[in-house]
Amino acid sequence: MCRWLAYSGSSIMLEELLYKPAHSLIDQSLHARMGVETTNGDGFGVGWYPEDRHGLRGVVEPAVFRDTGPAWSDRNLHELAHCVRSPLFFAHIRASTGTAVQQTNCHPFRYGHWLWMHNGTIHGFTELKRDLALAVDPSLYPSIEGSTDSEMMFHLALTLGLREDVPGAVARMIGLVEATAERHGVPDSVQMTLAVSEGERLWAFRYSTEHHSRSLFFSGDVHSLRALHPENVALRQASDDTRVIVSEPIGNLPDAWNEVPESTYGVVEEGNDSMHALVPQRA
């Protein structure tokens, strides 16, 4: 499995979350505590929207940097994180579930101004892959560059209306995968936590067919945390709408984190955060 982090809020340097906190995401690439594996060294990636996210035609495309080596020893990632500032970014460290360790299999995945990253698996993916690939819109299929179940899930969600209705498309994608797995006699097919953004809002999902999903946490209300920890410089600098979503907590403030409930998705957007039940939808 993998570990990931998604950030939305006041513009910060990537290193503030990737490297500086206790048990940072980079530390988790060697010493994960809640994942299936302790080490996540099968590649990494970051995707970020620039400080000025809006161009003449709306939100500009995010930048993506991915590589196949372990995150803990990559000097280029360290340099980039020290120099890049962003108000919305994704970071992912990979532990392969069987597909090749190659750049096109590293997260996050990008399509236009959309970013997508995933922790988990489609069980029996090799058996289901052909049927799932045939369900992808033919106009989208050429955009699949790698061989992971994660990228297939992304393109299925795009096919099923992600650009118009993110929660609905993800629910329909889950329903499609589960129905396909049932036809092939594959149990407990979906295991996922995933993050999605189009540059304005951030969605995070936690779900598994067996209702025993991988861990996922979201940061608490910044205003309340400032009151609890007035000595914390990072909290004083963060805007009230800052939110961080992580596979496992970072930093040394245990009261800063709340677990995302089972079969739930949340959305972070300006002036409003909300959480909802996630129910698969069948065609």
Side-chain angles (χ1 to χ4, degrees):
M1 299 299 168
C2 312
R3 304 281 83 185
W4 60 257
L5 175 153
Y7 172 87
S8 175
S10 50
S11 188
I12 63 170
M13 292 292 187
L14 272 57
E15 68 176 357
E16 295 296 329
L17 290 180
L18 300 191
Y19 286 92
K20 289 188 176 182
H23 199 51
S24 68
L25 191 69
I26 301 303
D27 180 65
Q28 291 176 30
S29 66
L30 272 172
H31 307 295
R33 299 168 183 167
M34 296 182 172
V36 176
E37 298 89 5
T38 301
T39 303
N40 298 272
D42 295 329
F44 65 86
V46 290
W48 69 95
Y49 295 89
E51 288 190 86
D52 184 3
R53 285 176 281 181
H54 301 94
L56 295 176
R57 299 181 180 178
V59 176
V60 300
E61 285 192 7
V64 173
F65 172 64
R66 303 181 295 179
D67 211 343
T68 57
W72 66 77
S73 62
D74 194 281
R75 296 180 65 182
N76 289 325
L77 176 61
H78 191 273
E79 286 291 318
L80 181 148
H82 179 67
C83 297
V84 170
R85 179 182 292 273
S86 173
L88 201 167
F89 62 87
F90 286 6
H92 187 281
I93 50 177
R94 184 172 184 245
S96 172
T97 55
T99 49
V101 178
Q102 61 190 45
Q103 194 175 90
T104 53
N105 284 344
C106 294
H107 309 224
F109 301 100
R110 176 181 60 191
Y111 182 84
H113 58 270
W114 290 86
L115 284 177
W116 172 286
M117 64 182 174
H118 167 242
N119 172 37
T121 189
I122 295 177
H123 293 293
F125 181 58
T126 54
E127 297 176 55
L128 311 181
K129 185 176 181 179
R130 181 179 181 276
D131 285 1
L132 296 178
L134 289 172
V136 174
D137 187 296
S139 67
L140 293 168
Y141 189 81
S143 299
I144 299 177
E145 296 183 318
S147 57
T148 64
D149 50 1
S150 303
E151 190 178 17
M152 184 71 73
M153 293 167 77
F154 184 24
H155 283 75
L156 287 170
L158 286 165
T159 297
L160 296 168
L162 185 75
R163 286 163 284 187
E164 295 76 37
D165 173 18
V166 171
V170 172
R172 289 187 287 274
M173 178 272 292
I174 295 170
L176 173 62
V177 173
E178 290 182 334
T180 304
E182 288 174 9
R183 291 199 304 272
H184 286 264
V186 175
D188 299 330
S189 54
V190 176
Q191 174 66 250
M192 67 173 222
T193 66
L194 60 88
V196 189
S197 181
E198 53 13 337
E200 296 282 4
R201 292 162 290 179
L202 166 62
W203 291 265
F205 298 80
R206 184 180 184 222
Y207 176 84
S208 62
T209 307
E210 59 185 321
H211 304 297
H212 186 62
S213 302
R214 300 292 177 251
S215 58
L216 192 65
F217 297 83
F218 64 96
S219 61
D221 175 74
V222 174
H223 181 74
S224 300
L225 290 172
R226 286 198 202 99
L228 288 171
H229 302 280
E231 77 289 350
N232 190 288
V233 175
L235 291 176
R236 292 202 303 268
Q237 295 175 345
S239 61
D240 287 345
D241 62 349
T242 292
R243 294 290 182 271
V244 187
I245 304 171
V246 292
S247 294
E248 59 185 77
I250 62 174
N252 52 12
L253 298 175
D255 51 348
W257 300 101
N258 307 281
E259 187 172 15
V260 175
E262 187 72 51
S263 301
T264 298
Y265 76 91
V267 56
V268 177
E269 55 189 333
E270 187 175 357
N272 181 44
D273 298 341
S274 57
M275 201 166 287
H276 311 269
L278 176 57
V279 181
Q281 297 179 19
R282 300 278 180 108

